[in-house]
């Protein structure tokens, strides 16, 4: 059985039309003839996805005290649905770990979330005792010329996290990161040197320090996000063998 998580657990999905994005966390949409505001969890620029008139998928927000009634969970890019919920990949990884869908982590029987080590917080710690693995999960939504690229906006937090993972890995602790590519097709994952050269350098250092980097396709439909095939990770487009990249 495929590993899949629903787009939302708060209620039915509603389709709306994108109007504008006043700030990083809010979008204005047309819904049932009215212009309303919805919350946006994805802090990326999304300039290739958010254009006036594009169709968005909204989920209801049932938390008390919220200023908006809807959360943006997806956007149509042609016929493809792209997730805009940065927590959806974490839910998918949790489901995948429970189902044994990640062979590199099947030895671990325990999972702890939001682990703090020093000044840094990581998504998961797998296992217990002396045999553990720190695991960070990243959401990828940008695919260009057949390549998934991360990040799509400079990420100081991401750079600091991977610097910390590199340092911890050098001490002998197992560390890993899983990049969930929320698109139907990509031939490989690379750091986006143009968007964030500092993160690209840090990722290369993390790899040489022993941090394991994995990437998986995760096609999205209105029914949910599905764990797909793994794709290779390269430190730059120039490092990709021609046999793999046909862009």
């Amino acid at each position: 059985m495929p590993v899949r998580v629903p787009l939302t657990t708060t209620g039915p999905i509603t389709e709306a039309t994108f109007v504008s994005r006043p700030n990083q966390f809010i979008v204005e949409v047309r819904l049932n003839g009215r212009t309303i505001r919805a919350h946006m969890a994805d802090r990326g620029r999304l300039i290739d996805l958010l254009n006036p008139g594009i169709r968005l998928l909204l989920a209801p927000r049932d938390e008390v005290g919220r200023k908006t009634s809807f959360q943006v969970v997806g956007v149509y890019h042609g016929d493809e649905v792209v997730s805009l919920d940065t927590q959806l990949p974490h839910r998918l990884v949790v489901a995948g770990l429970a189902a044994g869908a990640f062979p590199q982590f099947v030895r671990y029987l325990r999972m702890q979330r939001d682990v703090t080590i020093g000044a840094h917080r990581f998504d998961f710690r797998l296992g217990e005792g002396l045999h553990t693995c720190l695991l960070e999960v990243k959401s990828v939504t940008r695919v260009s010329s057949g390549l998934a690229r991360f990040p799509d906006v400079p990420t100081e937090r991401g750079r600091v996290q991977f610097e910390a993972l590199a340092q911890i890995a050098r001490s002998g602790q197992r560390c890993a990161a899983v990049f969930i590519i929320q698109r139907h097709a990509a031939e490989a994952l690379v750091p986006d040197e143009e968007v964030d050269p500092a993160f690209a350098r840090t990722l290369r250092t993390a790899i040489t320090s022993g941090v394991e980097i994995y990437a998986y396709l995760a096609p999205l439909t209105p029914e949910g996000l599905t764990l797909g095939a793994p794709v290779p990770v390269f430190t730059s487009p120039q490092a990709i063998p021609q046999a793999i990249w046909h862009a």
Side-chain angles (χ1 to χ4, degrees), residues 39-201:
H39 180 257
M40 170 71 76
D42 193 319
R43 301 182 186 181
R45 292 171 180 164
L46 307 174
I47 56 176
D48 58 332
L49 295 175
L50 293 182
N51 297 299
I54 207 75
R55 292 181 295 158
L56 298 178
L57 296 178
L58 309 182
R61 303 180 82 195
D62 57 3
E63 301 98 329
V64 175
R66 295 294 188 181
K67 295 182 179 180
T68 57
S69 299
F70 291 95
Q71 164 94 24
V72 181
V73 294
V75 57
Y76 277 94
H77 185 64
D79 294 330
E80 182 181 22
V81 182
V82 180
S83 171
L84 296 181
D85 183 351
T86 53
Q87 290 304 306
L88 196 58
H90 293 73
R91 290 167 47 202
L92 183 66
V93 168
V94 169
L97 290 169
F102 297 105
Q104 62 272 48
F105 304 128
V106 292
R107 76 180 76 166
Y108 302 110
L109 302 179
R110 187 183 178 208
M111 176 184 65
Q112 181 183 356
R113 301 195 198 194
D114 297 324
V115 176
T116 299
I117 298 178
H120 307 284
R121 189 174 69 177
F122 303 101
D123 291 325
F124 302 101
R125 178 160 51 203
L126 308 179
E128 56 187 335
L130 298 177
H131 304 288
T132 62
C133 176
L134 291 177
L135 176 61
E136 190 68 16
V137 177
K138 294 299 179 186
S139 169
V140 184
T141 58
R142 183 167 177 249
V143 174
S144 174
S145 300
L147 296 179
R149 301 172 189 264
F150 182 91
D152 71 347
V153 65
T155 172
E156 176 72 9
R157 180 174 181 270
R159 181 187 63 78
V160 171
Q161 280 181 318
F162 277 80
E163 284 179 349
L165 284 174
Q167 182 178 2
I168 295 170
R170 287 193 292 268
S171 72
Q173 165 72 57
R174 188 183 183 194
C175 299
V178 172
F179 288 79
I180 298 296
I181 305 165
Q182 301 185 75
R183 302 293 292 269
H184 285 76
E187 297 179 65
L189 171 78
V190 295
D192 198 316
E193 190 91 39
E194 294 183 0
V195 169
D196 194 339
F199 177 83
R201 291 192 297 270

Side-chain angles (χ1 to χ4, degrees), residues 196-224:
D196 194 339
F199 177 83
R201 291 192 297 270
T202 299
L203 183 65
R204 288 192 284 269
T205 300
I207 292 172
T208 59
S209 298
V211 179
E212 302 168 30
I213 308 294
Y214 304 96
Y216 287 82
L217 294 176
L220 185 75
T221 68
E223 288 69 45

Side-chain angles (χ1 to χ4, degrees), residues 13-30:
I13 297 294
T14 302
E15 189 172 302
T17 303
F18 175 72
V19 176
S20 65
R21 190 179 186 183
N23 61 55
Q24 199 175 40
F25 303 101
I26 295 292
V27 296
E28 294 183 333
V29 303
R30 292 289 291 176

